[in-house]
C-alpha cells in the first residue's frame, strides 16, 4: 500500500518592534497559533494528513528598522528562503500553505509562491487577517496576544499610538518608516484591547484561513481566495 504524502502548513512571521507592550515575535506568535488551530480544524475534517512546520521567524520588516530589536532580512532574501524551503519540502509534501502573520512579507510571498506555482508545485499562502483591524501593535494585535499569550503583554506599558487611517500615514511611512509617524511604534490604540475581543478576532482569522485552505483556489501568485 502506498503511503499518502502529507500536506504542510508553514507559519511565517517577523522579528520587529511592537511598541513597548508587545514582544518582538508578535507576528510569529499569531501566525503559529493560527497555523496550529488550522491544523486541528483540518484534521477534524476529512484531511488528517496535514502537518505543521516550525515557524519562519524572520521577515521583511524594513519599515520598523528605526526601532531597536527589529531584524529584517528583506523581501528578496525572504522570497528566496520561501522558494528554497518549498522546493525542498515538496520532495515529500503533497501541498504547502504558508500562513503569514506580517503584512510586510506579502511581496515576498507573491514572488516566491508565484514562481513555485509556475514550476508546477502545489503551494499557496494566506494571511492572518480580520475585519476592521488597526495597523500595528494596536487594538487588534494586543487583543489577540491577550488571548493566545497573555503573559507576554506588558499591560502597564499600554499607551495609544497614532490612530490616523493607514492610507493617510503611508506617504510618510514610505519615506521614513513607522518611526516617521509614531515615536512609540504603535499604529492604533492598544488600551482598548481585551482577551475576549482577542478570542473573537483569533477565531475570525482561523475561520477565514480554514475556509481558504479547504477551497484551495490560489490566484496567479498563490494567494488563497
Amino acid at each position: 500500500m502506498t503511503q499518502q504524502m502529507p500536506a504542510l502548513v508553514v507559519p511565517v512571521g517577523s522579528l520587529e518592534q511592537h511598541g513597548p507592550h508587545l514582544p518582538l515575535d508578535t507576528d510569529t506568535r499569531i501566525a503559529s497559533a493560527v497555523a496550529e488551530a488550522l491544523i486541528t480544524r483540518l484534521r477534524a475534517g476529512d484531511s488528517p494528513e496535514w502537518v505543521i512546520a516550525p515557524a519562519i521567524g524572520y521577515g521583511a520588516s524594513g519599515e520598523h528598522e528605526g526601532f531597536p530589536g527589529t531584524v529584517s532580512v528583506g523581501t528578496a532574501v525572504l522570497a528566496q528562503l520561501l522558494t528554497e524551503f518549498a522546493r525542498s519540502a515538496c520532495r515529500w509534501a503533497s501541498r504547502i500553505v504558508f500562513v503569514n502573520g506580517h503584512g510586510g512579507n506579502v511581496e515576498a510571498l507573491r514572488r516566491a509562491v508565484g514562481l513555485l506555482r509556475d514550476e508546477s508545485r502545489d503551494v499557496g499562502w494566506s494571511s492572518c487577517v480580520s475585519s476592521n483591524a488597526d495597523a500595528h501593535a494596536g487594538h487588534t494585535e494586543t487583543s489577540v496576544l491577550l488571548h493566545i499569550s497573555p503573559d507576554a503583554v506588558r499591560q502597564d506599558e499600554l499607551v495609544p499610538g497614532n490612530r490616523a487611517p493607514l492610507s493617510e500615514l503611508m506617504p510618510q511611512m514610505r519615506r521614513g518608516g513607522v518611526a516617521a509617524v509614531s515615536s512609540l511604534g504603535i499604529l492604533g490604540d492598544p488600551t482598548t484591547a481585551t482577551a475576549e475581543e482577542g478570542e473573537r478576532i483569533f477565531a475570525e482569522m482561523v475561520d477565514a484561513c480554514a475556509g481558504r485552505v479547504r477551497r484551495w483556489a490560489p490566484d496567479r501568485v498563490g494567494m488563497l481566495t
Side-chain angles (χ1 to χ4, degrees):
M1 182 176 178
T2 303
Q3 185 175 5
Q4 186 177 24
M5 296 174 68
L8 183 63
V9 175
V10 187
V12 184
S14 68
L15 191 74
E16 65 184 37
Q17 68 82 26
H18 275 78
H21 62 291
L22 293 180
L24 294 169
D25 64 346
T26 289
D27 294 339
T28 307
R29 289 178 188 243
I30 292 173
S32 296
V34 169
E36 291 280 2
L38 173 64
I39 285 286
T40 300
R41 187 83 60 88
L42 294 172
R43 286 174 177 168
D46 57 359
S47 301
E49 74 278 8
W50 284 95
V51 295
I52 188 168
I56 296 173
Y58 294 90
S61 302
E63 70 274 18
H64 298 279
E65 286 181 318
F67 296 91
T70 298
V71 177
S72 172
V73 299
T75 294
V77 170
L78 179 60
Q80 187 64 33
L81 171 60
L82 297 172
T83 300
E84 296 303 329
F85 182 107
R87 283 172 174 165
S88 179
C90 279
R91 293 178 177 272
W92 53 265
S94 61
R95 171 175 285 178
I96 298 173
V97 59
F98 293 109
V99 174
N100 177 46
H102 171 53
N105 294 341
V106 167
E107 180 56 30
L109 284 158
R110 289 169 58 90
R111 292 184 194 178
V113 181
L115 174 60
L116 290 161
R117 294 194 62 79
D118 285 345
E119 295 173 347
S120 299
R121 292 177 169 86
D122 196 10
V123 183
W125 63 275
S126 176
S127 288
C128 304
V129 295
S130 65
S131 57
N132 302 314
D134 52 10
H136 183 73
H139 174 87
T140 302
E141 288 185 317
T142 305
S143 292
V144 173
L145 263 286
L146 286 171
H147 171 56
I148 66 171
S149 196
D151 291 343
V153 181
R154 294 180 289 276
Q155 298 199 50
D156 58 338
E157 298 283 354
L158 294 174
V159 290
N162 191 329
R163 288 168 284 186
L166 189 59
S167 58
E168 293 181 11
L169 302 177
M170 282 306 297
Q172 287 178 270
M173 287 177 58
R174 289 192 183 98
R175 293 191 297 270
V178 174
V181 297
S182 174
S183 62
L184 295 173
I186 301 172
L187 303 178
D189 188 356
T191 66
T192 62
T194 66
E196 293 74 20
E197 179 70 356
E199 183 176 16
R200 182 196 66 77
I201 295 168
F202 181 75
E204 185 179 347
M205 290 177 174
V206 175
D207 287 346
C209 196
R212 295 185 197 107
V213 172
R214 284 176 173 149
R215 285 190 296 275
W216 201 259
D219 66 11
R220 61 183 182 81
V221 291
M223 184 177 73
L224 300 180
T225 59

